[in-house]
Amino acid sequence: MQLIGQYDSPFTRRVAIAMRCYKMAFEHNKWSVFGNAEELSKVNPLIRVPTLVLDDGTALIETSAIIDYLDSCVAPEARLTPQSQPARYLDQRIVSMASGVSDMAVRLFYEERLHKQPSRVFVARITRQLAGAMVWLENDRAPRSGETWFGGGMTMADVAVTCTLRHLGEAHPQIGDLTRYPALKKQCAGFEAMPVFNEISQPFIAPA
Protein backbone atom coordinates (compact mmCIF):
# COMPACT_ATOMS: atom_id res chain seq x y z
CA MET A 1 0.00 0.00 0.00
CA GLN A 2 1.02 3.58 -0.56
CA LEU A 3 0.09 6.41 1.79
CA ILE A 4 0.18 9.83 0.15
CA GLY A 5 0.61 12.95 2.25
CA GLN A 6 3.10 14.56 4.58
CA TYR A 7 3.08 13.91 8.31
CA ASP A 8 2.52 17.57 9.18
CA SER A 9 -1.06 16.87 8.10
CA PRO A 10 -2.89 15.69 11.22
CA PHE A 11 -5.06 13.49 9.01
CA THR A 12 -2.19 11.78 7.20
CA ARG A 13 -0.35 11.34 10.49
CA ARG A 14 -3.41 9.73 12.06
CA VAL A 15 -3.65 7.17 9.28
CA ALA A 16 0.07 6.39 9.38
CA ILE A 17 0.03 5.88 13.15
CA ALA A 18 -2.91 3.50 12.81
CA MET A 19 -1.05 1.54 10.13
CA ARG A 20 2.04 1.26 12.32
CA CYS A 21 -0.06 0.11 15.26
CA TYR A 22 -1.68 -2.48 12.98
CA LYS A 23 1.76 -3.58 11.72
CA MET A 24 0.78 -2.83 8.12
CA ALA A 25 3.61 -2.28 5.65
CA PHE A 26 3.25 0.77 3.44
CA GLU A 27 5.22 3.09 1.21
CA HIS A 28 5.10 6.72 2.29
CA ASN A 29 4.73 9.12 -0.63
CA LYS A 30 5.42 12.66 0.61
CA TRP A 31 3.44 14.52 -2.04
CA SER A 32 1.85 17.79 -0.94
CA VAL A 33 -1.38 19.29 -2.23
CA PHE A 34 0.49 22.38 -3.44
CA GLY A 35 3.85 21.12 -4.60
CA ASN A 36 2.54 17.94 -6.23
CA ALA A 37 -0.99 18.91 -7.24
CA GLU A 38 -0.62 17.63 -10.80
CA GLU A 39 0.64 14.20 -9.78
CA LEU A 40 -1.85 13.89 -6.94
CA SER A 41 -4.79 14.79 -9.19
CA LYS A 42 -4.16 11.65 -11.24
CA VAL A 43 -4.70 9.53 -8.14
CA ASN A 44 -7.25 11.67 -6.31
CA PRO A 45 -9.04 14.33 -8.40
CA LEU A 46 -9.92 16.22 -5.21
CA ILE A 47 -6.16 16.77 -4.69
CA ARG A 48 -6.41 16.02 -1.00
CA VAL A 49 -4.44 14.04 1.54
CA PRO A 50 -4.38 11.51 2.95
CA THR A 51 -4.91 9.24 -0.01
CA LEU A 52 -4.29 5.53 0.48
CA VAL A 53 -3.55 3.51 -2.64
CA LEU A 54 -4.20 -0.19 -2.13
CA ASP A 55 -2.10 -2.92 -3.70
CA ASP A 56 -4.68 -3.36 -6.48
CA GLY A 57 -4.49 0.35 -7.36
CA THR A 58 -7.74 1.39 -5.67
CA ALA A 59 -7.39 4.83 -4.10
CA LEU A 60 -9.17 5.47 -0.81
CA ILE A 61 -9.82 9.06 0.24
CA GLU A 62 -11.06 10.82 3.39
CA THR A 63 -9.58 9.92 6.74
CA SER A 64 -12.56 8.24 8.38
CA ALA A 65 -13.14 6.02 5.34
CA ILE A 66 -9.47 5.03 5.29
CA ILE A 67 -9.49 4.23 9.01
CA ASP A 68 -12.66 2.20 8.54
CA TYR A 69 -10.91 0.15 5.87
CA LEU A 70 -7.81 -0.35 8.01
CA ASP A 71 -9.96 -1.45 10.95
CA SER A 72 -11.60 -4.06 8.74
CA CYS A 73 -8.20 -5.61 8.06
CA VAL A 74 -7.37 -6.44 11.68
CA ALA A 75 -9.03 -8.41 14.44
CA PRO A 76 -11.73 -6.51 16.37
CA GLU A 77 -9.72 -6.57 19.60
CA ALA A 78 -6.76 -4.90 17.84
CA ARG A 79 -8.74 -2.00 16.39
CA LEU A 80 -8.17 1.52 17.67
CA THR A 81 -11.84 2.25 17.06
CA PRO A 82 -13.97 0.56 19.74
CA GLN A 83 -16.43 -1.90 18.26
CA SER A 84 -19.23 -1.96 20.83
CA GLN A 85 -21.57 0.75 22.05
CA PRO A 86 -21.48 3.06 23.90
CA ALA A 87 -17.67 3.01 23.70
CA ARG A 88 -17.77 3.39 19.92
CA TYR A 89 -19.91 6.49 19.68
CA LEU A 90 -18.20 8.10 22.67
CA ASP A 91 -14.83 7.59 20.99
CA GLN A 92 -16.13 8.90 17.67
CA ARG A 93 -17.55 11.94 19.45
CA ILE A 94 -14.01 12.97 20.39
CA VAL A 95 -12.59 12.01 17.00
CA SER A 96 -15.22 14.17 15.29
CA MET A 97 -14.40 17.21 17.41
CA ALA A 98 -10.68 16.76 16.76
CA SER A 99 -11.34 16.42 13.03
CA GLY A 100 -13.41 19.59 13.07
CA VAL A 101 -10.59 21.47 14.78
CA SER A 102 -8.12 20.31 12.15
CA ASP A 103 -10.46 21.24 9.30
CA MET A 104 -10.93 24.74 10.70
CA ALA A 105 -7.24 25.16 11.43
CA VAL A 106 -6.45 24.42 7.78
CA ARG A 107 -9.16 26.80 6.57
CA LEU A 108 -7.88 29.56 8.84
CA PHE A 109 -4.31 29.06 7.68
CA TYR A 110 -5.32 29.30 4.03
CA GLU A 111 -7.42 32.38 4.67
CA GLU A 112 -4.56 34.17 6.36
CA ARG A 113 -1.83 32.87 4.07
CA LEU A 114 -3.40 32.95 0.60
CA HIS A 115 -5.30 36.24 0.72
CA LYS A 116 -3.67 39.66 0.77
CA GLN A 117 -6.64 40.89 2.77
CA PRO A 118 -8.04 38.07 4.90
CA SER A 119 -11.68 38.47 5.86
CA ARG A 120 -11.74 39.79 9.41
CA VAL A 121 -15.25 38.40 9.89
CA PHE A 122 -14.21 34.94 8.71
CA VAL A 123 -11.01 34.90 10.76
CA ALA A 124 -12.89 36.01 13.88
CA ARG A 125 -15.54 33.35 13.38
CA ILE A 126 -13.07 30.51 12.86
CA THR A 127 -10.96 31.69 15.79
CA ARG A 128 -14.04 31.68 18.01
CA GLN A 129 -15.00 28.20 16.85
CA LEU A 130 -11.51 26.85 17.50
CA ALA A 131 -11.40 28.40 20.96
CA GLY A 132 -14.78 26.91 21.78
CA ALA A 133 -13.70 23.47 20.60
CA MET A 134 -10.53 23.62 22.68
CA VAL A 135 -12.53 24.46 25.81
CA TRP A 136 -14.94 21.63 24.99
CA LEU A 137 -12.11 19.11 24.63
CA GLU A 138 -10.42 20.33 27.81
CA ASN A 139 -13.65 20.07 29.78
CA ASP A 140 -14.25 16.54 28.53
CA ARG A 141 -10.71 15.37 29.31
CA ALA A 142 -10.10 17.11 32.63
CA PRO A 143 -12.39 14.93 34.83
CA ARG A 144 -10.98 11.70 33.40
CA SER A 145 -8.10 9.87 35.04
CA GLY A 146 -5.54 7.67 33.36
CA GLU A 147 -3.11 8.17 30.51
CA THR A 148 -5.71 7.55 27.80
CA TRP A 149 -8.89 9.49 27.15
CA PHE A 150 -11.18 6.71 28.29
CA GLY A 151 -8.88 5.03 30.81
CA GLY A 152 -8.23 1.79 28.93
CA GLY A 153 -6.03 1.10 25.94
CA MET A 154 -5.22 3.74 23.35
CA THR A 155 -8.11 4.47 21.00
CA MET A 156 -8.53 6.56 17.89
CA ALA A 157 -9.68 9.44 20.10
CA ASP A 158 -6.20 9.59 21.65
CA VAL A 159 -4.54 9.45 18.23
CA ALA A 160 -6.82 12.07 16.67
CA VAL A 161 -6.55 14.57 19.51
CA THR A 162 -2.76 14.26 19.71
CA CYS A 163 -2.31 14.75 15.95
CA THR A 164 -4.79 17.61 15.86
CA LEU A 165 -3.28 19.56 18.73
CA ARG A 166 0.29 19.14 17.46
CA HIS A 167 -0.80 20.61 14.11
CA LEU A 168 -2.84 23.40 15.69
CA GLY A 169 0.00 24.41 17.98
CA GLU A 170 2.45 24.68 15.09
CA ALA A 171 0.13 26.27 12.51
CA HIS A 172 -1.57 28.65 14.96
CA PRO A 173 0.64 28.96 18.05
CA GLN A 174 -1.58 31.47 19.85
CA ILE A 175 -4.76 29.43 19.45
CA GLY A 176 -3.03 26.11 20.08
CA ASP A 177 -1.10 27.17 23.19
CA LEU A 178 -1.77 24.25 25.53
CA THR A 179 -0.65 26.06 28.68
CA ARG A 180 -4.28 27.18 28.91
CA TYR A 181 -5.49 23.59 28.65
CA PRO A 182 -3.54 21.52 31.22
CA ALA A 183 -5.49 18.30 30.72
CA LEU A 184 -4.92 18.40 26.96
CA LYS A 185 -1.28 19.34 27.44
CA LYS A 186 -0.70 16.33 29.69
CA GLN A 187 -2.61 14.06 27.32
CA CYS A 188 -0.58 15.09 24.29
CA ALA A 189 2.78 15.05 26.05
CA GLY A 190 2.26 11.45 27.03
CA PHE A 191 1.42 10.29 23.53
CA GLU A 192 4.01 12.40 21.71
CA ALA A 193 6.63 10.63 23.85
CA MET A 194 5.59 7.23 22.47
CA PRO A 195 7.89 5.68 19.82
CA VAL A 196 5.17 5.45 17.15
CA PHE A 197 4.31 9.15 17.52
CA ASN A 198 8.00 10.03 17.36
CA GLU A 199 8.48 7.98 14.22
CA ILE A 200 5.37 9.29 12.47
CA SER A 201 6.16 12.96 12.92
CA GLN A 202 7.10 16.02 10.93
CA PRO A 203 7.30 19.71 11.83
CA PHE A 204 4.65 21.85 10.17
CA ILE A 205 5.72 23.12 6.75
CA ALA A 206 3.76 26.09 5.46
CA PRO A 207 2.71 25.74 1.81
CA ALA A 208 4.61 27.96 -0.59
Side-chain angles (χ1 to χ4, degrees):
M1 291 185 285
Q2 181 185 95
L3 177 61
I4 301 174
Q6 298 191 35
Y7 291 156
D8 61 348
S9 159
F11 300 107
T12 303
R13 190 181 183 209
R14 190 191 309 177
V15 170
I17 287 171
M19 295 182 78
R20 279 287 184 267
C21 289
Y22 294 164
K23 296 179 171 55
M24 294 178 173
F26 66 94
E27 175 190 349
H28 181 208
N29 186 326
K30 300 178 183 180
W31 284 347
S32 74
V33 297
F34 281 88
N36 306 98
E38 187 63 31
E39 300 98 317
L40 184 53
S41 69
K42 297 174 183 177
V43 181
N44 180 353
L46 289 176
I47 315 177
R48 296 182 65 182
V49 296
T51 296
L52 181 66
V53 183
L54 306 184
D55 292 338
D56 66 0
T58 301
L60 302 181
I61 64 173
E62 207 282 314
T63 306
S64 62
I66 295 173
I67 295 294
D68 182 70
Y69 169 78
L70 298 176
D71 282 348
S72 74
C73 296
V74 298
E77 62 272 15
R79 296 171 187 171
L80 291 170
T81 304
Q83 297 303 292
S84 60
Q85 304 293 8
R88 184 180 179 85
Y89 74 72
L90 290 174
D91 193 78
Q92 290 302 292
R93 176 173 173 261
I94 304 302
V95 171
S96 297
M97 185 62 70
S99 296
V101 168
S102 288
D103 282 333
M104 290 183 179
V106 171
R107 293 175 65 191
L108 179 60
F109 186 86
Y110 288 163
E111 179 68 23
E112 294 179 329
R113 179 86 175 195
L114 301 181
H115 296 115
K116 291 183 178 179
Q117 289 291 337
S119 167
R120 287 182 295 176
V121 173
F122 184 81
V123 169
R125 178 178 177 177
I126 294 292
T127 301
R128 177 182 178 183
Q129 290 172 296
L130 286 171
M134 292 291 285
V135 170
W136 187 95
L137 287 168
E138 174 71 13
N139 289 342
D140 195 275
R141 185 62 174 98
R144 304 178 186 274
S145 60
E147 296 180 356
T148 64
W149 202 281
F150 294 105
M154 182 175 74
T155 69
M156 189 51 66
D158 299 300
V159 178
V161 168
T162 303
C163 294
T164 286
L165 296 185
R166 164 75 177 272
H167 170 259
L168 181 66
E170 294 187 353
H172 305 285
Q174 291 184 326
I175 300 173
D177 179 5
L178 294 184
T179 59
R180 292 171 291 176
Y181 310 103
L184 294 179
K185 182 177 181 179
K186 182 179 179 180
Q187 161 91 14
C188 291
F191 283 95
E192 290 289 7
M194 293 173 61
V196 67
F197 284 83
N198 270 301
E199 177 194 358
I200 308 296
S201 178
Q202 175 188 318
F204 177 68
I205 301 174

